[in-house]
Amino acid sequence: MKKVGLLTAAMMIAGMTTVNAQLIDEKDVTVTLDLQPVLQLDMSTPDQIEFVFDDIDEYYAGITHYGATILKVSSTVSWDLYAVGRSTGTNGPEFWDQQIDYGNSNPNAQPNLPLSLLELRQAQANNGSGAATGGFADYSGAFSPSSVPAGGNSLYVNGGTNTAPSANDKYIAGHAGTSGVAGQDFMEGGSYMNQNGVNSDYYYVIDYRILPGLPAIFPMAHDADGATAEDLVSVNGAGAYAEPGVYTMYVQYILLEDQ
Amino acid sequence: MHTTPPIKSLFVLVVTLLLFAIAQGQVHCGLVQIEPNSSVNAMMTFDSFSKYTGGYTINGVAKIRVRVEDKAVIDPLCSWNLTMIVDNNPAAGTPANEWEELNLYGIGSGQNPLVDALEIRIRNSCGTSPMDGIYTSFSNNMDIIDIIAPMLPVTPAGTCAINTNGPGSYMTNYDEFNFTIDIRVKPGYDFNPGIFQLNVKFKLEENI
């Protein structure tokens, strides 16, 4: 009888509690965020930049096209930017394509002009190159006088491929490696659109120069790290010079997530 | 013959009635409900610079329509509160201050979006919530933000007053009992690219 009484009381309590619990209602709003990586390189440049050497002064002093290319970067991720010299490979993967020669049959006239004879100069220094180990981290140095051959502005070339430069080579912005330390080997995400001041890490003005010299051996041509000369005499021996003709090549600018 | 002593039976009865009275005393309202209470899924896709820089806003992502009714025998203490709670699924190993990571794109800078990147604004025509029209954000998982705070004195419906929490319905007092939810995310360029998720729970309770 006692147990029955307790059980009855417990059931009453449970029943009343269930029926009269605090009233609550809920509604869920689930937010899904899809952050897609955006790397955007806006480039202002002529379709073709011509260097016509038809005057002896131009051979001596070279031809420079100032501000021929403007590179504007927008990226939502850490990024690197580099330039690489390329051709269609008519004369070999690391040489300009010879479109036509001007009838020279001299054995010292060389049709294989290295892609690295093209020099670049960037107006804004690379502020993400602390981890660079080579002699030249970028192309921000001044063009060297014709009397002083140097590889500081010589275009990076890698066997005709667009493979990224190593830590010894030149980048326009950022560098090889993924240290995760700002200023070492990457540029932080951002855009040229919300930058202030005259200098910006997201805005690069590029000058181009070709200096054939006399004889036309292109003394500024150097290998990827700028340490070894690739002028026509160094490569082909004394007496070599550039065969007159029309040559073409192209510069590929590559913006990629830091790596 | 063995019988239950009368004093014991009386004690059981008294305790039962007391507990019954306590349980009964916690309830003041007859109905407390969000209509509809179906869940909402909002997808925010950032695929352009203008969205990363300017942010992405969804106005009216959800509407919280409140309906609170008296019991048959009116209890003057019937009132309600409305709160929102953030949940980032910590069971999946999500740090307290980050969005839940569903998928990553590429390498990124190493930092997943923070919970406070989500901004929420509540509004209704009467501005009954003290935070009406103001974007606010959470910091950590299970943070609670009051829309109409708990345990406030009863403010009857019908006067468009702040903290209105008396019985009423969006059908009869729409400007006080309907809350429109806006959300905004302005990620900038600091977060990993990927897919992330956060759940905001709107909880309507009667005040006890």
Side-chain angles (χ1 to χ4, degrees):
Chain A
M1 187 64 188
K2 180 181 175 184
K3 285 181 180 173
V4 171
L6 286 172
L7 183 63
T8 305
M11 286 176 69
M12 284 179 68
I13 294 166
M16 290 304 115
T17 304
T18 302
V19 170
N20 296 300
Q22 182 191 19
L23 298 179
I24 299 172
D25 199 5
E26 291 181 354
K27 176 167 182 161
D28 290 287
V29 175
T30 302
V31 184
T32 303
L33 203 58
D34 185 5
L35 297 177
Q36 299 182 0
V38 180
L39 290 110
Q40 191 173 309
L41 180 62
D42 294 327
M43 186 162 68
S44 306
T45 189
D47 290 338
Q48 195 149 320
I49 301 173
E50 295 188 352
F51 294 85
V52 180
F53 295 93
D54 55 3
D55 187 280
I56 203 69
D57 290 343
E58 291 167 342
Y59 276 88
Y60 269 127
I63 294 176
T64 304
H65 288 292
Y66 292 101
T69 297
I70 295 174
L71 304 170
K72 293 179 281 190
V73 176
S74 296
S75 176
T76 62
V77 296
S78 298
W79 55 276
D80 298 326
L81 174 65
Y82 65 90
V84 57
R86 303 191 71 186
S87 66
T88 60
T90 304
N91 290 49
E94 292 204 345
F95 301 114
W96 289 61
D97 297 319
Q98 188 185 52
Q99 304 298 341
I100 189 171
D101 71 75
Y102 292 144
N104 194 316
S105 57
N106 190 302
N108 284 334
Q110 299 296 326
N112 295 333
L113 308 186
L115 294 169
S116 60
L117 66 83
L118 179 67
E119 293 181 279
L120 307 187
R121 182 178 178 277
Q122 61 189 85
Q124 167 74 2
N126 180 356
N127 288 321
S129 61
T133 55
F136 306 102
D138 61 21
Y139 300 94
S140 63
F143 288 129
S144 182
S146 57
S147 57
V148 184
N153 299 92
S154 170
L155 177 62
Y156 165 74
V157 179
N158 191 350
T161 70
N162 60 3
T163 309
S166 71
N168 283 328
D169 308 331
K170 304 181 198 83
Y171 279 76
I172 295 173
H175 225 275
T178 53
S179 68
V181 180
Q184 285 297 100
D185 52 41
F186 68 90
M187 306 300 289
E188 293 180 343
S191 173
Y192 70 93
M193 289 186 284
N194 55 9
Q195 299 291 303
N196 297 316
V198 294
N199 295 320
S200 165
D201 288 334
Y202 303 88
Y203 189 98
Y204 295 89
V205 178
I206 306 293
D207 308 329
Y208 298 89
R209 183 177 81 161
I210 292 179
L211 193 152
L214 269 180
I217 64 167
F218 302 102
M220 303 302 173
H222 282 70
D223 66 353
D225 62 5
T228 305
E230 290 185 336
D231 63 84
L232 297 184
V233 168
S234 298
V235 173
N236 301 294
Y241 61 92
E243 185 176 47
V246 176
Y247 299 84
T248 59
M249 58 84 70
Y250 63 98
V251 180
Q252 196 165 25
Y253 290 98
I254 297 180
L255 172 67
L256 75 170
E257 186 175 9
D258 177 46
Q259 55 187 286
Chain B
M1 185 178 169
H2 179 76
T3 55
T4 306
I7 190 76
K8 270 193 172 179
S9 296
L10 189 61
F11 177 73
V12 169
L13 184 64
V14 167
V15 169
T16 303
L17 289 173
L18 185 63
L19 288 174
F20 174 76
I22 290 169
Q24 186 80 325
Q26 289 179 334
V27 178
H28 304 293
C29 302
L31 176 73
V32 172
Q33 196 163 299
I34 297 173
E35 295 181 354
N37 60 5
S38 52
S39 59
V40 173
N41 282 285
M43 171 67 90
M44 306 180 91
T45 301
F46 289 83
D47 55 3
S48 72
F49 257 89
S50 54
K51 288 179 183 171
Y52 271 96
T53 305
Y56 192 119
T57 302
I58 303 179
N59 285 322
V61 66
K63 289 185 185 299
I64 306 296
R65 289 173 171 163
V66 172
R67 188 175 166 197
V68 176
E69 293 179 357
D70 276 315
K71 292 193 294 186
V73 177
I74 293 175
D75 184 339
L77 294 178
C78 175
S79 66
W80 52 275
N81 66 78
L82 181 62
T83 55
M84 50 184 177
I85 305 157
V86 68
D87 178 3
N88 68 358
N89 192 15
T94 312
N97 64 341
E98 294 182 3
W99 289 56
E100 180 188 3
E101 176 189 309
L102 302 183
N103 188 40
L104 276 185
Y105 301 137
I107 301 168
S109 59
Q111 175 63 61
N112 283 348
L114 299 176
V115 168
D116 64 10
L118 176 68
E119 297 176 272
I120 300 183
R121 182 173 64 182
I122 313 296
R123 55 191 165 90
N124 63 12
S125 299
C126 282
T128 58
S129 171
M131 56 171 291
D132 184 90
I134 301 167
Y135 273 109
T136 185
S137 56
F138 302 96
S139 298
N140 291 298
N141 178 56
M142 300 312 289
D143 276 359
I144 298 173
I145 294 177
D146 294 334
I147 299 171
I148 301 292
M151 306 311 293
L152 293 174
V154 179
T155 303
T159 58
C160 226
I162 195 164
N163 285 323
T164 294
N165 63 356
S169 165
Y170 67 94
M171 290 182 283
T172 52
N173 298 90
Y174 185 86
D175 294 346
E176 296 168 317
F177 286 79
N178 176 73
F179 296 88
T180 301
I181 313 299
D182 307 328
I183 58 174
R184 181 172 73 182
V185 173
K186 192 176 175 182
Y189 314 114
D190 299 328
F191 299 137
N192 281 335
I195 302 178
F196 306 91
Q197 200 166 72
L198 210 55
N199 184 54
V200 179
K201 194 181 296 291
F202 291 85
K203 193 171 185 182
L204 176 68
E205 293 176 315
E206 66 171 325
N207 288 325
I208 56 176

